[in-house]
Structures are given as structure tokens and as C-alpha cells.
Amino acid sequence: LATSMRGMRGTMIDMYRQPEKLHAAMDKILMLQLPEIIFAAKESGNPRVTLLLFRGSDGFMSLEQFEEFYWPGTKQLILTLIEEGLTPCVWFEGVWDQRLDYLAELPEGKVMGIFERTDLSKASEVLRGKMCIAGGMPITLLQTGAQAEIREHTQKTVKTLGQEGSYNMACSTAMVSVPEENLAAWVDATVEFGVY
């Protein structure tokens, strides 16, 4: 709604001026989109459904607003996908440090969370064993870092987050303009250090 229909400004004004209409619109959109998402995922033969979440991150709204306007519909979407036998792969864009306890409400072992700028040590404390955590490799390091720095960062990340499983080494954002030799250094380091 905030991305393509009302815009961020319009949606945020609606939160104050006409919250009932905003709730009704969000519920309607969710009910219209869910069958399409489920159908497309099942037709593709790939049970993974990618969700891009950014307007719910720490800097966009208070926890109170998050609880009222953002989390109920998002949680319902994720739970419905799980009930349909699909695996939500959720990109938590921005910082979700204040939202981690909400993510812990999701069913254990059914969601992959890819985190952009969330403190992954915190995420691991709250979500270890509940959600597969992915991320940890900054795109800037892959684009401009030395291969030794990439290896060192990979080793540190796996050592910090890879205990007891449920961690997947991944780039924190989409990978663009990464030198081939840096990508190879990252893959080699992940294979070397990523066994636990």
C-alpha cells in the first residue's frame, strides 16, 4: 500500500487520520494477493517465496505503530504461506533490531530471514534454532575489499553465527558489480570455514 498505492506519505497520514480505512484496505489487499502468491509459487514448482520487507524496519515507525499496522498483516501472510507448504524467504531490509522478538513468534524452522543491516549477533541470540538466518556479507566489502579481508570477514561471521546450524552465508543485499576474484575468494572461504 505504501509502496505503490498511497505512497509512504499518504499511508503515514492515513495512520493518524483514517486508521479504520487503512486497516480495511490492508486486509482487502492481503486477501486479494494471497491466492495469487500461493498459485504462482505452486505453479513454479519452487516452494520458496521471496518477500521484501522494508517499511516495517526500525526507522519507519514506532513499535506501537508496527504492532497495529504492520505486523498483523505481515505475520498473517507468512503464516498462510507456511500453512500452504511454502517457505517464506524474507528480506528484512534496513535494521530490524527492535523487531526481533516479533519474528520469534513465527513457527520454528519454517522461515529464512535474510538481514541487511540488523545486528546479526542479536538476531542469532533471539532467533537461533527458530529461523534460518542469512546475510552477514556487506556488498561494499565484496565490491571493493581485498581478498584477505573477505576471507577474514567470512571466517569471523561463520564463527560468530554458525554455531548449532541455522545460519546461511549470504550477501546482505543484491549482488551487483562484484569482481570475479572477490566472489571466488568469498565462495572458497565459505566452503573452508562454513563447516560446523
Side-chain angles (χ1 to χ4, degrees), residues 35-138:
E36 292 178 20
I37 295 167
I38 292 164
F39 176 79
K42 290 186 174 183
E43 281 296 302
S44 75
N46 183 349
R48 292 170 194 84
V49 177
T50 300
L51 303 173
L52 306 174
L53 303 183
F54 50 94
R55 296 277 159 88
S57 61
D58 290 357
F60 277 99
M61 62 184 74
S62 69
L63 278 177
E64 188 177 281
Q65 292 166 328
F66 178 83
E67 287 174 358
E68 180 179 353
F69 295 102
Y70 197 91
W71 184 235
T74 302
K75 184 178 180 181
Q76 183 182 352
L77 169 62
I78 292 170
L79 292 177
T80 303
L81 294 174
I82 292 168
E83 287 166 10
E84 290 290 330
L86 301 167
T87 303
C89 299
V90 187
W91 282 85
F92 295 104
E93 298 183 52
V95 178
W96 285 70
D97 292 349
Q98 299 171 10
R99 316 304 199 214
L100 295 172
D101 288 334
Y102 296 92
L103 305 185
E105 296 172 6
L106 298 171
E108 195 171 297
K110 299 292 183 180
V111 177
M112 171 183 264
I114 305 113
F115 293 92
E116 181 187 15
R117 293 188 299 127
T118 299
D119 181 336
L120 290 185
S121 295
K122 253 187 210 177
S124 183
E125 284 174 25
V126 176
L127 302 173
R128 180 177 284 143
K130 297 177 183 174
M131 176 186 293
C132 178
I133 298 170
M137 178 53 75

